[in-house]
Amino acid sequence: MTFFQTGDLNYLLAEQPAIVHFRWSPSESWGATWLFLFTSISTYIITAATLHLLLRLFRCRHPVSLGPFPALHSLALALLSAIIFTGILLSSIAEIRDTRWFWRRSKTPFQWLLCFPLGTRPSGRVFFWSYIFYLSRFLHIFKTFFTILRNPRSFPYFQLFNHSILIVMTFIWLEFTQSFQVLAILSMTLVFTLVYGYRFCIEIGLQKSYFPFSMFCQIVLVVTNLAWHIGVLILHFLKGGCNGMGAWVFNSVLNSFVLFFVLDFYVRKCLCIERDFAAFGVETKPLTSETKSKNTVCFNPRT
């Protein structure tokens, strides 16, 4: 006896009335206002800075024991990312099936995923899952607080900046119905599923891999995101315009800052990089002098 059939999964994630008839609006969607966006990000930054300051004032130099919470958090994010990935994949297939008559003469299904037709509104299946992805970003920010508690001596500027930028970008995707967001969410949720699944295994005591898995996933994500941006720009001029190009420009600026910080982060670590570091908000455990010598790989710049 099977508990779940393909049709049941498709209905659950793509055909429910709440999903099909979803509409992004301040009156119907929680967190869909600019005031909420800026208030939440400000609260996040102030809370993180306050926590770090309190730990410094009380001269807390040793990691704070967090028990099973980091492992449970990583497991929750891995499962949630997998659900969003499956949901938006099934929803994209359904949306292409239902709306292809409108744009099939000018676009292929892949081009539709990359370049929404002009006049597209943030309603329907794929935007429901884009909204869920936007809300999930607020669950990711707890990794920042875990990092601060585990390493009171340093402040995670990169994580703080990265999480804030991603919250703003996902809000803009919905607010301006920006093109390429479906492909971006598919690639990001796939990477998050793998990374947080890996982090969960590490948290429960499994052996770490010598392969820099988190760094590899981060690089793949940066490359694919750059490819989506270039693809939208090309289709915008070849196919008569893509929806949300003003937001695309602003998003590109934000992504440039993210790319700069990512490259700066890895360049600083390229000569002596820790094996257990964070990728897109996955925190590192503080290393002692003994473990640092075991878990750190230094590269010879001449090789």
Side-chain angles (χ1 to χ4, degrees):
M1 179 179 178
T2 57
F3 292 95
F4 239 71
Q5 297 181 352
T6 305
D8 298 330
L9 182 63
N10 187 69
Y11 175 79
L12 183 63
L13 300 180
E15 299 295 344
Q16 289 192 65
I19 297 176
V20 175
H21 302 296
F22 169 80
R23 185 168 69 94
W24 166 265
S25 69
S27 60
E28 299 180 17
S29 308
W30 183 80
T33 64
W34 289 97
L35 177 62
F36 175 86
L37 176 68
F38 291 120
T39 302
S40 59
I41 292 178
S42 300
T43 302
Y44 165 53
I45 296 173
I46 293 172
T47 304
T50 302
L51 177 61
H52 176 68
L53 181 60
L54 289 175
L55 292 175
R56 295 296 297 270
L57 289 176
F58 287 101
R59 300 182 182 278
C60 182
R61 299 181 179 180
H62 300 287
V64 178
S65 177
L66 299 175
F69 292 107
L72 294 175
H73 187 257
S74 295
L75 178 61
L77 287 177
L79 293 176
L80 179 59
S81 297
I83 292 172
I84 295 174
F85 175 85
T86 307
I88 198 168
L89 179 62
L90 294 176
S91 296
S92 299
I93 296 173
E95 286 292 335
I96 290 173
R97 179 198 65 208
D98 294 345
T99 64
R100 192 174 183 179
W101 62 271
F102 178 70
W103 45 263
R104 62 181 179 181
R105 294 184 178 181
S106 59
K107 288 183 174 69
T108 65
F110 179 77
Q111 290 174 344
W112 178 84
L113 292 173
L114 199 57
C115 176
F116 288 149
L118 295 174
T120 302
R121 301 301 180 189
S123 61
R125 300 176 182 90
V126 295
F127 295 102
F128 170 83
W129 289 108
S130 182
Y131 174 61
I132 298 299
F133 182 75
Y134 162 65
L135 295 181
S136 73
R137 294 309 314 170
F138 294 97
L139 186 59
H140 283 253
I141 66 177
F142 285 96
K143 280 294 182 181
T144 303
F145 304 117
F146 293 159
T147 302
I148 294 173
L149 292 171
R150 280 179 160 175
N151 191 2
R153 295 185 179 184
S154 63
F155 188 71
Y157 293 100
F158 174 74
Q159 288 186 27
L160 198 73
F161 178 82
N162 187 55
H163 285 308
S164 300
I165 289 297
L166 284 175
I167 291 173
V168 173
M169 286 196 302
T170 52
F171 179 90
I172 289 175
W173 289 351
L174 287 160
E175 186 69 14
F176 298 100
T177 324
Q178 185 180 315
S179 296
F180 94 87
Q181 61 178 281
V182 174
L183 292 175
I185 293 173
L186 283 171
S187 57
M188 292 176 75
T189 50
L190 178 60
V191 167
F192 290 157
T193 301
L194 297 174
V195 169
Y196 284 108
Y198 172 76
R199 287 300 308 160
F200 171 73
C201 294
I202 300 302
E203 292 288 352
I204 63 176
L206 297 183
Q207 182 67 34
K208 289 188 301 183
S209 172
Y210 287 103
F211 178 73
F213 182 74
S214 295
M215 183 179 72
F216 174 76
C217 290
Q218 174 73 59
I219 293 174
V220 170
L221 194 56
V222 169
V223 172
T224 54
N225 194 32
L226 181 62
W228 305 148
H229 273 78
I230 296 175
V232 170
L233 186 62
I234 294 174
L235 289 178
H236 177 67
F237 290 106
L238 294 182
K239 296 295 182 178
C242 298
N243 200 72
M245 286 306 293
W248 175 89
V249 174
F250 183 70
N251 201 352
S252 298
V253 173
L254 294 181
N255 274 291
S256 299
F257 282 107
V258 172
L259 180 61
F260 171 78
F261 277 95
V262 168
L263 293 177
D264 179 69
F265 180 78
Y266 290 130
V267 166
R268 290 174 181 272
K269 298 293 182 180
C270 66
L271 298 179
C272 193
I273 184 171
E274 297 176 355
R275 289 292 188 182
D276 189 17
F277 74 101
F280 258 88
V282 182
E283 88 288 5
T284 59
K285 295 181 178 179
L287 300 177
T288 62
S289 58
E290 181 180 356
T291 57
K292 193 175 288 188
S293 62
K294 294 180 181 179
N295 296 326
T296 305
V297 176
C298 297
F299 297 93
N300 188 341
R302 296 181 181 179
T303 59

